[in-house]
Amino acid sequence: MKIAVCIKRVPDSETRVKIATDGKSLDEAGVKFVLNPYDEFAVEEALRRKEQAGSGEVVVVCLGPAAAQETIRTALAMGADRGVLLQADKIPTDPFESAKVIAAELKGSSWDLVLFGRMAIDDYHHQVGPLVAELVDLPCVSAVSHVEIAGTTGVAEREIEGGIEVVDFSLPAVLTTDKGLNEPRYPALKGIMAAKKKPLDVKPVQLGRGALEIVALKPPPERKEGKIVGEGPAAVGELVRLLREEAKVL
Amino acid sequence: MAAKFQGVDFYQVDGLLSEEERAIRDTVREWVDDNLIPIIGEAYVAGKFPKQLIPGMAELGLFGANLPEAYGCAGLNNIAYGLIMQELERGDSGVRSFASVQGALVMYPIYTFGSEDQKKNWLPQMASGKVIGCFGLTEPDYGSNPAAMITVAKETKDGWVLNGAKMWITNGSTAQAAIIWAKTGALDQPDSIRGFIVPTDSKGFSAKDQKGKLSLRASDTSELVLQDVHVPKDAILPKSGGLKSPLMCLTAARYGIAWGAVGAAMACYDEAVSYAKQRVMFGKPIGGFQLQQARLADMLTEITKAQLLCVQLGRLKDEGKSTPQQVSLAKRNNVSMATDVAREARRLLGANGILAEYQALRHLANLESVYTYEGTHDIHTLILGQEITGLNAFN
């Protein structure tokens, strides 16, 4: 089974991010970058599929800056076989431009499965996986939280509002992975040491400007200090009045 | 869920580490956050070593991580090994002690003094956590003076017979195999000390939990009694000889302790900073008062110095240039430093600081043991004194 896993280098969700002086990008100084958490599900799923099949190859593809080699090596440490860095100076703000570059790389080989995290936690677009599927002309199931594959067909489950949607698909296919699909493994220490010896191709890519532009980034408004209305049953009337008249939530 | 530990790095010490070293540190850090931190308070209060963590630690490759891959180990350098100890002790000194004993006091002597057969037989089983080991050097009446030990091994036709007692043995009741140090000659011949691999189910071998500990409560500490324990000829570690052999093991373990102490100190500092920013008294966060700021400034300063000490010591060890005296300096300084940091953190936390829900007092109580074991603080003072002056002040 030959599987491509497309990953992204994103700021750690625990990092306190600062907006750069241009007002529309992040100040990367002192920011820790990690493998996008949703992509960890994709890497884990690929490794399990390969282990189940008994043979195959898991190739990690990442569009990103030179420093994303470290992110690729995280996936290699988990057990992926080789990596490809599509090296760009800047990640485009337009997901379609990213999708075009990744699709061009994927078209060079044939794949049984192409996996993405369902979204990147930095821009929340949810777009690149489905866009790539369209560009490489493969079926796509997004936000997969459970999957069974037998031969050249699969059944995927997606958590939707109030229920589970079950989708049949045929391989090869593009899946984007959601929480609940699996429990990603910790890279074993031996794996971390082995990762540097695994092949990692670096391919410079040219990205189009795209049609989207970020105009401004703003932090969410600071939460106002809470107000204690009173204590005990006596305070209920006043609380209800404030919720209705001031907060306007009732 | 509590925020994930972000580390303490005021001097960009991370920049002195390689990408692999950082990746190993981060992996163990995450594992500790996910698996150890959530259960450790309860295990400590219950006085139980959290055995359920053993398979996970083995799977990561934490046991004997600086020994070669040929024996099923991770083959890491000493910096990476130190970082593992740091992160484990950031969780709890007892859990770090478990890994220290398994790696530096059991696997290391088998690797260093063992025959090829012994290495092939024991090391892979120990790396995978299938066999847990303990290290028996200290005796009820001989702690800082192991040369005077009275445990003996007499050679017989088909092997050895061991008699004696060992005390303060970490993993003693958990272990399947014990490295026992015993005199093969007369009691006044410390040169006759040799190491033996003794299966703990041998007839005449017994381990008894040491009760009533107020420190290292999440660790198994036992007294071992060996009464006419017969072991085969090949139980002896053939390349061990004299007190120097167990002391080499202690140097290996102390190296890890120097790193571990930094982990415990970082945990306490991190907790103190977050508490100081949140706890409001007299109308503002207590971090805004000078006394607490002085505490935090001292903690950060001492942690930073200890971090740099560790990195340089690790680089020297990797180059084969470190001396036991340098290891003594690091163990002595860092554990004393961590004990001070834990105490100040405990005090900064006020009454909350005495609860198991917080870490500071657990670390402080643990560190009082670490201050005393593997060469007491005082003994390391004398080791350095002798190194400086050339004069022996031990007796």
Side-chain angles (χ1 to χ4, degrees), chain B residues 160-239:
Chain B
W160 297 86
V161 178
L162 280 76
N163 275 290
K166 299 288 180 183
M167 204 160 177
W168 307 115
I169 308 306
T170 300
N171 303 355
S173 303
T174 315
Q176 287 85 39
I179 303 291
I180 298 292
W181 299 91
K183 281 179 181 156
T184 55
L187 287 183
D188 61 355
Q189 292 178 318
D191 285 350
S192 74
I193 292 173
R194 307 289 295 270
F196 295 85
I197 308 174
V198 181
T200 57
D201 60 1
S202 302
K203 195 168 168 252
F205 186 104
S206 61
K208 201 172 68 186
D209 269 350
Q210 286 185 235
K211 303 277 184 209
K213 280 187 300 169
L214 297 175
S215 171
L216 289 181
R217 288 186 53 78
S219 173
D220 156 20
T221 311
S222 307
E223 185 178 357
L224 309 180
V225 175
L226 296 98
Q227 196 172 1
D228 293 328
V229 175
H230 287 258
V231 290
K233 275 201 184 320
D234 63 3
I236 194 167
L237 292 169
K239 285 180 258 177

Side-chain angles (χ1 to χ4, degrees), chain B residues 307-326:
Chain B
Q307 286 172 330
L308 292 165
L309 206 58
C310 281
V311 172
Q312 174 63 2
L313 181 63
R315 296 285 174 230
L316 287 174
K317 193 164 156 68
D318 278 334
E319 291 165 17
K321 291 182 189 163
S322 68
T323 67
Q325 291 79 11
Q326 287 170 337

Side-chain angles (χ1 to χ4, degrees), chain A residues 12 14-16 32 40 69-71 73-74 186-190 192-193 196-197, chain B residues 4 6 19-20 22 24 26-27 31 34-35 59-62 72-74 76 84:
Chain A
D12 188 348
E14 299 277 336
T15 306
R16 245 178 244 157
K32 190 181 167 211
E40 287 184 18
Q69 287 189 39
E70 199 168 329
T71 315
R73 274 196 286 272
T74 303
Y186 298 98
L189 306 188
K190 268 188 225 176
I192 293 171
M193 299 310 288
K196 207 157 195 182
K197 293 171 206 141
Chain B
K4 285 198 167 177
Q6 296 294 304
E19 183 187 319
E20 285 87 359
R22 274 184 284 120
I24 285 163
D26 291 348
T27 299
W31 182 86
D34 294 348
N35 298 280
E59 209 168 299
L60 278 179
L62 303 188
C73 305
L76 306 183
I84 294 172

Side-chain angles (χ1 to χ4, degrees), chain A residues 31-230:
Chain A
V31 173
K32 190 181 167 211
F33 284 86
V34 296
L35 171 59
N36 176 39
Y38 287 96
D39 299 346
E40 287 184 18
F41 302 122
V43 174
E44 178 63 36
E45 197 57 30
L47 296 174
R48 290 187 190 190
R49 293 291 149 199
K50 182 192 150 183
E51 283 158 9
Q52 234 168 46
S55 68
E57 189 183 25
V58 175
V59 182
V60 175
V61 179
C62 180
L63 168 63
Q69 287 189 39
E70 199 168 329
T71 315
I72 292 177
R73 274 196 286 272
T74 303
L76 297 178
M78 288 171 73
D81 298 293
R82 64 182 175 91
V84 179
L85 172 63
L86 305 172
Q87 189 175 326
D89 301 336
K90 232 179 154 204
I91 306 303
T93 50
D94 186 340
F96 190 46
E97 295 302 322
S98 302
K100 281 198 273 191
V101 177
I102 295 169
E105 170 64 23
L106 294 176
K107 273 181 184 164
S109 320
S110 65
W111 307 95
D112 297 306
L113 270 180
V114 177
L115 302 178
F116 289 81
R118 86 167 153 91
M119 65 168 190
I121 62 160
D122 54 355
D123 61 21
Y124 275 53
H125 276 307
H126 298 74
Q127 290 186 28
V128 177
L131 285 170
V132 167
E134 193 61 27
L135 291 170
V136 298
D137 204 18
L138 288 179
C140 177
V141 189
S142 63
V144 172
S145 59
H146 183 79
V147 66
E148 304 280 350
I149 292 172
T152 55
T153 57
V155 183
E157 291 182 4
R158 314 174 63 241
E159 281 178 25
I160 56 169
E161 192 67 39
I164 289 172
E165 185 177 64
V166 182
V167 184
D168 289 331
F169 63 94
S170 60
L171 269 59
V174 175
L175 306 180
T176 76
T177 56
D178 201 355
K179 215 178 187 162
L181 179 62
N182 54 45
E183 189 69 41
R185 68 194 67 188
Y186 298 98
L189 306 188
K190 268 188 225 176
I192 293 171
M193 299 310 288
K196 207 157 195 182
K197 293 171 206 141
K198 291 182 177 175
L200 201 173
D201 284 342
V202 178
K203 301 179 179 176
V205 291
Q206 292 300 321
L207 289 158
R209 273 203 59 207
L212 267 183
E213 190 193 343
I214 292 178
V215 183
L217 278 184
K218 282 183 193 154
E222 281 211 25
R223 242 195 292 175
K224 282 190 212 137
E225 211 173 318
K227 189 195 277 182
I228 294 171
V229 179

Side-chain angles (χ1 to χ4, degrees), chain B residues 252-268:
Chain B
R254 287 166 185 167
Y255 168 76
I257 293 170
W259 282 90
V262 175
M266 292 198 301
C268 293

Side-chain angles (χ1 to χ4, degrees), chain A residues 188-190, chain B residues 53-76 81 84-85 88 98-99 101-104 106-108 110-111 118-133 176-177:
Chain A
L189 306 188
K190 268 188 225 176
Chain B
L53 298 180
I54 297 175
M57 288 197 268
E59 209 168 299
L60 278 179
L62 303 188
F63 300 140
N66 53 351
L67 299 178
E69 290 183 69
Y71 299 108
C73 305
L76 306 183
Y81 172 82
I84 294 172
M85 295 299 135
L88 287 179
F98 176 87
V101 168
Q102 179 80 347
V106 178
M107 296 171 72
Y108 168 81
I110 294 174
Y111 173 69
Q118 286 171 333
K119 291 192 231 184
K120 280 192 184 139
N121 178 32
W122 293 104
L123 294 179
Q125 296 192 73
M126 288 174 164
S128 64
K130 289 193 187 89
V131 170
I132 301 305
Q176 287 85 39

